[in-house]
Amino acid sequence: MHILLVLAGSVLVAIAYNFFLIPHEILSSGLSGIAIMLGIVTPLNTGLLNFLLNLPLLVLGVMKLGKKFIAYTILSVVSLSVFLYMVPVTQLSTEPILSSLFGGVLTGAGVGLTFRASASSGGFDIIAMLLARKRDFPLGTLLSIMNAVVIIAAGFLFSWDAALSTLIAIYATGKVVDTIHTKHIKLTLHIVTCKGDELCAKMLKNLYRGITVTEAKGAYSGESRSVLMTVITRYQLNEVKQMIQEVDPHAFVNITQTVEVMGLFHRE
């Protein structure tokens, strides 16, 4: 499943680049944008440049983000480079603003799918994920901030119209990435159940999260219940719901979005 998501994301990004951005000399975000820029001003293929520029950060990713993550990231970088080489550069629209908008949206969808597969498309994505592990920053926002240098480069090398179009593409990409990639969103769960020990054991076994258990009594029924409180990422919600359903289908669950987490919280 993860491999299919990575490949689908790479296809979307390649289509966005070669159909919408490159024909209008509009850059994308990060090292991919730099690869597009060098591909326009040099005879080298954008796909080859994208792979070469990503090599140093892939090495950093192996050391800091783990082998599984970097394996999917290498697949993403290689497949994107191949698809950029295979997909012909074709101008689908003569309107630069529409092209920058649609190109940015498709790029964001592709990058978001790649993030959902626990991978990245390389480049600045690796740096953004390293920063996001320390703080709960939205990845799309981080990517937009780091891409200011790409916008300035586009203005000096091509034109400031191209720079502004690049800004539109990068902004659209960041918004779509934040819509798809929601791991920075935290949820607090309060679970009222009569099977507290069983549910707690199942969650501790299958969910890498701490759980606080308090004993309570129903005001109306007078029956004893356990209240389990935990904080999870939005990605883990369906998994937790399934565990609750399996152990105690009659449990009362209150789910609220968490503004901020202080203290020990493992950021995967």
Side-chain angles (χ1 to χ4, degrees):
M1 182 63 179
H2 285 188
I3 293 176
L4 291 177
L5 284 176
V6 170
L7 293 177
S10 298
V11 170
L12 286 176
V13 174
I15 290 173
Y17 287 1
N18 287 358
F19 285 1
F20 294 101
L21 301 184
I22 293 177
H24 292 279
E25 296 184 341
I26 300 170
L27 306 184
S28 181
S29 57
L31 290 186
S32 297
I34 297 174
I36 292 175
M37 179 173 60
L38 294 176
I40 293 173
V41 299
T42 69
L44 296 177
N45 180 267
T46 303
L48 176 61
L49 289 167
N50 181 68
F51 179 75
L52 293 176
L53 289 173
N54 274 287
L55 276 179
L57 286 177
L58 289 176
V59 175
L60 176 64
V62 170
M63 297 185 294
K64 298 292 185 180
L65 296 172
K67 294 181 180 179
K68 184 178 179 180
F69 167 83
I70 211 63
Y72 286 127
T73 299
I74 290 173
L75 173 63
S76 173
V77 172
V78 172
S79 59
L80 175 58
S81 299
V82 171
F83 290 135
L84 283 172
Y85 185 81
M86 293 174 59
V87 176
V89 177
T90 306
Q91 187 181 83
L92 291 187
S93 172
T94 58
E95 176 55 54
I97 295 179
L98 285 177
S99 295
S100 62
L101 182 60
F102 276 94
V105 168
L106 283 177
T107 301
V111 172
L113 287 177
T114 303
F115 283 152
R116 289 299 292 262
S118 299
S120 82
S121 57
F124 288 175
D125 298 352
I126 294 177
I127 300 174
M129 295 196 85
L130 286 171
L131 293 174
R133 290 184 65 179
K134 303 297 182 182
R135 301 286 181 181
D136 292 324
F137 291 125
L139 281 179
T141 303
L142 281 174
L143 291 172
S144 297
I145 293 172
M146 290 190 295
N147 284 309
V149 64
V150 179
I151 299 172
I152 295 172
F156 280 107
L157 280 176
F158 303 119
S159 68
W160 289 107
D161 286 341
L164 294 176
S165 296
T166 298
L167 178 61
I168 293 173
I170 291 175
Y171 179 79
T173 296
K175 286 299 181 181
V176 175
V177 168
D178 283 342
T179 300
I180 298 175
H181 182 80
T182 57
K183 186 174 283 189
H184 63 281
I185 297 177
K186 305 293 183 292
L187 303 174
T188 298
L189 273 64
H190 288 90
I191 308 166
V192 182
T193 174
C194 60
K195 299 181 179 179
D197 292 339
E198 185 179 348
L199 181 57
C200 188
K202 188 176 185 67
M203 290 175 64
L204 288 174
K205 181 180 178 181
N206 298 283
L207 191 70
Y208 191 68
R209 293 292 171 217
I211 302 171
T212 299
V213 182
T214 56
E215 298 302 323
K217 184 175 71 172
Y220 177 77
S221 66
E223 297 178 355
S224 297
R225 293 285 189 273
S226 295
V227 180
L228 281 60
M229 190 278 288
T230 185
V231 179
I232 62 174
T233 67
R234 193 158 184 172
Y235 281 7
Q236 296 171 316
L237 181 59
N238 288 334
E239 182 183 357
V240 174
K241 283 182 176 179
Q242 184 177 353
M243 285 187 280
I244 296 172
Q245 186 66 26
E246 291 173 356
V247 175
D248 185 7
H250 302 292
F252 176 83
V253 184
N254 181 33
I255 304 171
T256 56
Q257 184 165 322
T258 302
V259 176
E260 184 179 1
V261 176
M262 296 179 65
L264 181 61
F265 184 85
H266 179 70
R267 295 172 174 85
E268 298 167 302

